[in-house]
């Protein structure tokens, strides 16, 4: 359905004058009236409206099956068999709840998470949060760079360090293809990734994992071994990514949604369903990779060469897991799918970087410039590690990048929980007591395991070093000082009261009028897509659903 022309004689928008929201006032509108490429959600009540909302959840889910996830999945299965599957289950459930909050924040308020942070916090905290968000985008881009380099090595035998350099050019080529319609490109990339997923599912039939042990790994938490905690944190960082919260809250602003009570509730419901379907698929793919890796690498009939691959398993060696299904083609297809995974994840990284920069700094740059900046920052450490450490070092860098994402998660998660739990910002759409309790428990669990690993890991590092006692004491003071700052920042975000209210795009009066009359209000019915948000997306096609 194409968008209909609005009658210009009627007030169309809620605008802000100070802290008050008025209809059709002279102040700058929250949402600009401008004919742009948009996806229009029909006003009629129908389950078919679900297809109008499809897109943001699947785009966000791409980040859950990127090269970073594959690397951590492969290593956790090879080293600990099925013992860390419960981390994937917990992280997937947490991701669904948290992503639904991010989508609701954007739908209800018309502003995404980064914009709320800029409005809520003073200059210094806002700048720190921006820098941390940018670091998260770069940390997310590192596995994509290395994954692309591994894929090029599989396909064309290009050295890893050369593949790192080429990854920047491949991303530029991907962005040039947007003129043909990024939706078609995304569907093609998703097809390749799903092809790899199908191969893993089929390989499970050959590997025959112990399904009772798989179920035990899913529902019985355990962390055995010195490296289990670090790998668990890597899995959390690879599954619940901070930049995804900024991304999802912004992507939902590209839909033209009815501002009626029913329209907002329908949007939140359908976005939740879409996210659930997308994340369930990502969950199954991650579980299959861990189960396959654990089953194959623990097999008593493993050849000497495969045992060597399992000992230092990374993305560059993982194709041998598929040889029962694909034979000599395993390396080629795995390389193609890995390349597709890395390049499709680049789209989410580009979007997230755009929204973070626009939201925190009110600064917009074209997608290819933004991608060039982020990719350059990711290429430098990847190139250094690839030259010095080779394939093994590059694989370890992916784990480190995933751990960085986990450590940074509280600085995106806490503002989201605070904002969506604030009645002043969300109105009648504020989190319920149950949702607030669940999300705070999830956030506390993630922060607790991060802090435990930081403290225990630092103590082991100090005790195991050969430094002089005086140097150990000095390093200890610096290290625990840094941990104290980390804790203080988390406590500040958790305990600080929200100081700025935000007028919902649908006022309480309109909600009450709609509920009492049983009819939808004709004034300001629609949340026209944010022009600045849509213009930053790569898609330049109009979709009428």
């Amino acid at each position: 359905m194409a968008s209909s022309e609005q009658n210009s004689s009627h007030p169309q928008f809620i605008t802000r004058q100070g802290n008050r929201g008025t209809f059709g006032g002279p102040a700058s509108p929250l949402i600009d009236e401008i004919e742009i490429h948009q996806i229009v959600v029909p006003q009629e009540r129908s389950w078919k409206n679900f297809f109008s909302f499809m897109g943001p959840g699947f785009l966000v889910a791409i980040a859950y099956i990127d090269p970073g996830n594959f690397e951590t999945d492969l290593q956790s299965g090879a080293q600990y068999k099925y013992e860390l599957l419960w981390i994937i289950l917990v992280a997937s459930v947490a991701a669904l709840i948290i992503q639904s909050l991010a989508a609701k924040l954007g739908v209800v308020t018309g502003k995404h998470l980064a914009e709320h942070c800029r409005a809520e916090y003073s200059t210094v905290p806002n700048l720190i949060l921006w820098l941390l968000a940018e670091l998260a985008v770069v940390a997310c881009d590192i596995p994509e760079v290395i994954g692309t380099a591994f894929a090029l090595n599989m396909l064309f035998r290009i050295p890893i360090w050369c593949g790192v350099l080429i990854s920047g050019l491949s991303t530029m080529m991907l962005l040039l293809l947007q003129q043909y319609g990024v939706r078609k490109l995304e569907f093609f990339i998703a097809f390749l990734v799903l092809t790899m997923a199908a191969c893993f599912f089929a390989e499970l039939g050959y590997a025959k994992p112990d399904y009772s042990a798989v179920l035990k790994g899913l529902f019985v938490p355990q962390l055995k071994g010195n490296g289990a905690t670090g790998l668990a944190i890597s899995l959390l960082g690879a599954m619940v990514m901070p930049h995804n919260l900024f991304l999802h809250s912004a992507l939902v602003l590209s839909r033209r949604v009815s501002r009626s009570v029913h329209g907002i509730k329908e949007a939140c419901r359908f976005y939740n369903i879409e996210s659930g379907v997308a994340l369930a698929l990502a969950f199954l793919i991650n579980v299959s990779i861990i189960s396959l890796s654990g089953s194959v690498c623990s097999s008593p009939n493993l050849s000497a060469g495969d045992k060597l691959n399992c000992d230092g398993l990374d993305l560059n060696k993982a194709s041998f897991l598929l040889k029962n299904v694909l034979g000599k083609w395993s390396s080629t297809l795995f390389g193609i799918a890995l390349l597709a995974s890395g390049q499709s994840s680049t789209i989410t990284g580009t979007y997230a970087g755009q929204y973070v920069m626009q939201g925190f700094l009110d600064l917009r740059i074209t997608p290819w410039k933004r991608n060039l900046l982020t990719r350059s920052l990711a290429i430098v450490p990847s190139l250094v590690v690839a030259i010095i450490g080779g394939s093994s070092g590059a694989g370890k860098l992916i784990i480190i990048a995933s751990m960085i994402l986990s450590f940074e998660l509280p600085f995106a998660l806490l503002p989201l929980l605070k904002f969506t739990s604030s009645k002043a910002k969300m109105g009648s759409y504020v989190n319920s007591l149950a949702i607030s309790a669940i999300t705070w428990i999830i956030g506390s669990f993630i922060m607790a395991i991060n802090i435990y690993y930081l403290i225990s890991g630092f103590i082991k590092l100090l005790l195991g070093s050969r430094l002089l006692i005086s140097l150990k004491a000095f390093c200890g003071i610096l290290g625990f000082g840094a941990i104290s700052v980390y804790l203080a920042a988390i406590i500040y975000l958790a305990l600080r009261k929200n100081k700025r209210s935000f007028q919902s795009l649908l006022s309480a009066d309109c909600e009450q009028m709609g509920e009492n009359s049983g009819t939808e209000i004709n004034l300001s019915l629609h949340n026209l897509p944010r022009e600045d948000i849509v213009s930053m997306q790569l898609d330049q096609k109009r979709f009428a659903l």
Side-chain angles (χ1 to χ4, degrees), residues 189-264:
I189 292 173
F191 170 76
L192 293 177
V193 175
L194 290 175
T195 299
M196 183 182 64
C199 292
F200 277 112
F201 293 151
E203 180 72 12
L204 281 176
Y206 287 91
K208 292 181 173 57
D210 184 351
Y211 291 104
S212 61
V214 170
L215 290 175
K216 180 181 178 181
L218 279 171
F219 297 104
V220 180
Q222 51 186 324
L223 288 174
K224 299 178 181 178
N226 294 329
T229 303
L231 200 51
I233 291 177
S234 299
L235 286 170
L236 280 175
M239 288 294 293
V240 189
M241 299 186 180
H243 75 285
N244 259 358
L245 306 184
F246 297 103
L247 177 66
H248 206 174
S249 64
L251 287 175
V252 298
L253 300 179
S254 62
R255 266 59 176 174
R256 190 170 189 254
V257 178
S258 171
R259 298 315 303 176
S260 65
V261 174
H262 168 75
I264 293 179

Side-chain angles (χ1 to χ4, degrees), residues 8-285:
S8 59
S9 63
H10 294 286
Q12 299 290 331
F13 313 100
I14 297 179
T15 60
R16 289 189 64 185
Q17 293 176 329
N19 290 328
R20 300 179 60 185
T22 61
F23 287 99
S28 300
L30 289 173
I31 302 173
D32 299 328
E33 180 180 15
I34 183 169
E35 283 297 319
I36 52 179
H37 308 296
Q38 58 187 272
I39 298 176
V40 181
V41 179
Q43 297 184 41
E44 295 80 7
R45 300 188 180 189
S46 172
W47 63 269
K48 295 180 181 179
N49 290 356
F50 172 71
F51 297 103
S52 301
F53 293 97
M54 288 185 66
F58 281 90
L59 191 59
V60 167
I62 290 174
Y64 293 86
I65 49 175
D66 72 346
N69 289 93
F70 293 155
E71 176 78 18
T72 52
D73 290 347
L74 291 168
Q75 292 199 12
S76 63
Q79 297 178 31
Y80 300 99
K81 204 173 180 180
Y82 315 121
E83 293 180 5
L84 299 182
L85 281 173
W86 67 276
I87 293 288
I88 298 296
L89 178 61
V90 170
S92 297
V93 174
L96 177 58
I97 297 174
I98 292 169
Q99 295 294 164
S100 68
L101 296 185
K104 184 172 72 170
L105 179 69
V107 169
V108 173
T109 66
K111 286 184 176 291
H112 57 80
L113 180 58
E115 291 175 321
H116 279 285
C117 289
R118 186 181 67 190
E120 177 67 30
Y121 300 111
S122 59
T123 303
V124 174
N126 188 70
L127 182 61
I128 294 174
L129 288 176
W130 168 67
L131 290 174
L132 290 173
E134 292 287 359
L135 181 59
V137 174
V138 173
C140 175
D141 210 40
I142 287 176
E144 296 161 14
V145 168
I146 296 176
T148 299
F150 281 157
L152 294 174
N153 178 261
M154 293 178 192
L155 295 173
F156 308 109
R157 299 295 183 264
I158 296 175
I160 300 297
W161 67 271
C162 289
V164 168
L165 293 175
I166 295 174
S167 66
L169 298 177
S170 66
T171 303
M172 295 301 108
M173 293 176 63
L174 183 69
L175 293 178
L176 288 176
L177 293 176
Q178 65 180 317
Q179 59 184 312
Y180 299 106
V182 76
R183 287 292 178 101
K184 296 178 181 178
L185 184 61
E186 287 178 359
F187 282 134
F188 177 69
I189 292 173
F191 170 76
L192 293 177
V193 175
L194 290 175
T195 299
M196 183 182 64
C199 292
F200 277 112
F201 293 151
E203 180 72 12
L204 281 176
Y206 287 91
K208 292 181 173 57
D210 184 351
Y211 291 104
S212 61
V214 170
L215 290 175
K216 180 181 178 181
L218 279 171
F219 297 104
V220 180
Q222 51 186 324
L223 288 174
K224 299 178 181 178
N226 294 329
T229 303
L231 200 51
I233 291 177
S234 299
L235 286 170
L236 280 175
M239 288 294 293
V240 189
M241 299 186 180
H243 75 285
N244 259 358
L245 306 184
F246 297 103
L247 177 66
H248 206 174
S249 64
L251 287 175
V252 298
L253 300 179
S254 62
R255 266 59 176 174
R256 190 170 189 254
V257 178
S258 171
R259 298 315 303 176
S260 65
V261 174
H262 168 75
I264 293 179
K265 289 183 177 179
E266 180 186 63
C268 292
R269 181 174 68 253
F270 281 147
Y271 278 132
N272 289 344
I273 295 173
E274 186 226 10
S275 298
V277 172
L279 293 178
L281 178 60
F283 167 75
L284 292 176
I285 292 174

Side-chain angles (χ1 to χ4, degrees), residues 84 86-88 90-91 221-224 227-237 240 402-403 405-410 413 440-458 483 486-487 490:
L84 299 182
W86 67 276
I87 293 288
I88 298 296
V90 170
Q222 51 186 324
L223 288 174
K224 299 178 181 178
T229 303
L231 200 51
I233 291 177
S234 299
L235 286 170
L236 280 175
V240 189
S402 298
M403 293 175 66
L405 289 172
S406 182
F407 292 137
E408 289 196 13
L409 182 59
L413 179 58
W440 279 103
I441 290 173
I442 291 172
S444 299
F445 170 76
I446 294 174
M447 288 180 282
I449 195 171
N450 285 347
I451 292 168
Y452 166 78
Y453 183 78
L454 275 176
I455 295 176
S456 61
F458 184 68
I483 294 174
Y486 179 79
L487 289 174
I490 291 176

Side-chain angles (χ1 to χ4, degrees), residues 477-515:
I477 293 173
L478 290 180
F480 282 106
I483 294 174
S484 300
V485 171
Y486 179 79
L487 289 174
I490 291 176
I491 293 172
Y492 168 79
L493 291 176
L495 299 182
R496 179 187 181 276
K497 292 184 178 181
N498 293 327
K499 295 182 179 180
R500 296 181 183 272
S501 62
F502 185 80
Q503 182 68 37
S504 174
L505 292 178
L506 182 61
S507 67
D509 293 338
C510 287
E511 292 183 17
Q512 191 63 41
M513 288 172 60
E515 292 175 352

Side-chain angles (χ1 to χ4, degrees), residues 275-460:
S275 298
V277 172
L279 293 178
L281 178 60
F283 167 75
L284 292 176
I285 292 174
N286 284 291
V287 168
S288 69
I289 295 174
I290 292 178
S291 300
L292 174 59
S293 175
S295 177
V296 172
C297 290
S298 62
S299 173
N301 301 323
L302 204 63
S303 66
D306 288 344
K307 284 183 180 179
L308 186 61
N309 286 331
C310 286
D311 289 339
L313 187 60
D314 58 26
L315 290 174
N316 207 28
K317 302 175 182 177
S319 61
F320 84 92
L321 299 174
L322 300 172
K323 64 183 180 181
N324 286 336
V325 176
L326 302 171
K328 64 180 182 180
W329 291 98
S330 60
S331 179
T332 300
L333 185 58
F334 186 85
I336 292 174
L338 183 59
L339 181 64
S341 175
Q343 294 304 292
S344 59
S345 299
T346 294
I347 297 177
T348 64
T350 300
Y351 280 173
Q354 285 282 86
Y355 300 142
V356 163
M357 184 171 288
Q358 174 267 330
F360 280 105
L361 304 181
D362 196 22
L363 177 63
R364 303 174 180 88
I365 60 178
T366 55
W368 74 268
K369 291 180 180 178
R370 167 71 221 190
N371 186 270
L372 180 62
L373 174 63
T374 304
R375 181 62 41 121
S376 298
L377 294 175
I379 282 177
V380 172
S382 302
L383 182 61
V384 172
V385 171
I387 292 175
I388 297 176
S391 174
S392 176
K396 292 179 181 178
L397 183 60
I398 292 180
I399 301 296
I400 294 174
S402 298
M403 293 175 66
I404 291 174
L405 289 172
S406 182
F407 292 137
E408 289 196 13
L409 182 59
F411 300 101
L413 179 58
L414 286 175
L416 176 65
L417 298 183
K418 296 280 287 186
F419 297 157
T420 54
S421 299
S422 171
K423 193 171 183 63
K425 294 182 182 293
M426 300 296 290
S428 61
Y429 301 97
V430 66
N431 293 340
S432 65
L433 183 61
I435 292 296
S436 295
I438 292 172
T439 51
W440 279 103
I441 290 173
I442 291 172
S444 299
F445 170 76
I446 294 174
M447 288 180 282
I449 195 171
N450 285 347
I451 292 168
Y452 166 78
Y453 183 78
L454 275 176
I455 295 176
S456 61
F458 184 68
I459 291 176
K460 289 180 181 178

